[in-house]
Amino acid sequence: MGTFAERLDEALKEKRLTNRAAARALGKLGVATTYGYVGQLRRGDKTNPTLEQLRAFAELTGKSLDWLAGGDFPLPVEDAAAGEEARRIRAGLAELGVRNIAERMTGLSDFSMTAIASMVEAMRVAERLDDAEADAVNRAWFDREDG
């Protein structure tokens, strides 16, 4: 079992979800789609769902994003509370303008993801963002009243 369409179809069958039921459930997760589009994804007629849609399918089916996208293991997604937290984080990231960066990271290897994480940590150290003293200075700077 390898393609996204095959995996999505398998996962939705496991949950006993029709295309219509899946589309309704995705809508409740904040991802509007039609049952026709769900059917096209299941058949492989459409092959490029958005990251938002992939995440919603993962949450709906209890499969990992990695597995749906072709990885080896169907790891379970977070429980409902963790899923809600993940949705809040995604919304916050979208507000900060980093959603595009996160979407561009989709499909990168573990090696590349580790390299990106290392670069971010190096930048945080260089800018002293995790330093308590720097934190206090930054807070004072942003809390000051401009005269």
Side-chain angles (χ1 to χ4, degrees):
M1 183 93 24
T3 68
F4 169 72
E6 292 168 329
R7 288 177 182 226
L8 178 63
D9 186 52
E10 176 187 323
L12 291 174
K13 281 179 181 175
E14 283 178 11
K15 293 290 184 178
R16 294 187 167 106
L17 289 170
T18 64
N19 297 343
R20 191 176 302 272
R24 258 189 253 122
L26 291 175
K28 290 178 182 176
L29 293 173
V31 179
T33 191
T34 66
Y35 70 91
Y37 183 68
V38 173
Q40 290 172 327
L41 289 172
R42 287 178 92 160
R43 290 188 307 273
D45 296 340
K46 298 284 184 181
T47 58
N48 197 18
T50 66
L51 181 58
E52 182 181 41
Q53 290 167 330
L54 281 172
R55 285 183 177 141
F57 277 121
E59 184 174 340
L60 176 64
T61 62
K63 302 292 184 185
S64 71
L65 196 71
D66 177 61
W67 183 82
L68 279 174
D72 292 333
F73 303 106
L75 301 173
V77 293
E78 314 92 21
D79 60 27
E84 178 58 33
E85 176 69 10
R87 277 190 292 284
R88 286 190 317 101
I89 290 170
R90 283 194 301 273
L93 291 175
E95 282 182 32
L96 294 172
V98 297
R99 181 176 183 173
N100 185 44
I101 293 168
E103 287 176 351
R104 298 288 299 151
M105 291 172 60
T106 300
L108 292 179
S109 68
D110 287 341
F111 177 79
S112 294
M113 297 294 274
T114 301
I116 291 168
S118 296
M119 286 187 280
V120 169
E121 288 307 311
M123 288 181 251
R124 291 188 67 79
V125 168
E127 295 188 21
R128 297 178 54 200
L129 292 176
D130 296 325
D131 182 356
E133 182 181 326
D135 250 8
V137 169
N138 287 336
R139 269 196 304 277
W141 172 259
F142 288 110
D143 290 343
R144 71 176 174 41
E145 290 186 18
D146 292 339

